[in-house]
Amino acid sequence: MPVPLHQAKAELFRMLGHPIRIRVLELLQAGPTPVRDLLIELEIEPSSLSQQLAQLRRSGLVTATREGSTVVYALAGADVADLLRAARRILTELLADQGMLLAELRAAD
């Protein structure tokens, strides 16, 4: 039996629910990146990065190619980058609203 669309979306958002996975996707927006560069940027243990990359790969959000002894990761498509940009816009709006509320509260003091 096929998975209902709302369940598939929930699973996608669960996949995106880890800060390291989000950061990896953000870094990959700049283009294909070797694992060693991701490790330098993220400052986490190789085993932790490997686990997060495996989950992103299984979900189809990233691809991996081997160039000699180096594994290079890339976003699986432009839609992933679009989703990250949409999240940034939503957060910016939410924080702007909260900032205005905070200013009103301070002004009332």
Side-chain angles (χ1 to χ4, degrees):
M1 176 151 108
V3 174
L5 181 57
H6 64 276
Q7 185 175 343
K9 286 180 182 179
E11 289 172 13
L12 172 64
F13 285 112
R14 265 194 297 278
M15 170 59 55
L16 296 173
H18 193 284
I20 295 297
R21 290 193 288 263
I22 293 293
R23 187 66 185 125
V24 166
L25 294 173
E26 289 173 342
L27 292 170
L28 294 179
Q29 284 181 305
T33 307
V35 171
R36 70 177 172 274
D37 293 353
L38 293 172
L39 282 168
I40 292 167
E41 196 67 36
L42 295 167
E43 298 178 351
I44 62 172
E45 293 297 319
S47 60
S48 294
L49 179 58
S50 179
Q51 288 174 347
Q52 302 308 324
L53 288 169
Q55 288 205 347
L56 289 168
R57 204 172 48 248
R58 279 193 301 274
S59 71
L61 296 175
V62 300
T63 60
T65 55
R66 184 170 290 282
E67 296 176 4
S69 63
T70 302
V71 179
V72 177
Y73 281 85
L75 294 178
D79 289 342
V80 177
D82 291 343
L83 180 60
L84 293 170
R85 280 190 292 278
R88 183 177 293 268
R89 282 192 307 272
I90 291 167
L91 287 171
T92 299
E93 290 175 21
L94 290 173
L95 292 173
D97 290 344
Q98 289 176 4
M100 288 188 297
L101 178 59
L102 180 59
E104 288 176 28
L105 289 170
R106 287 184 175 153
D109 284 341

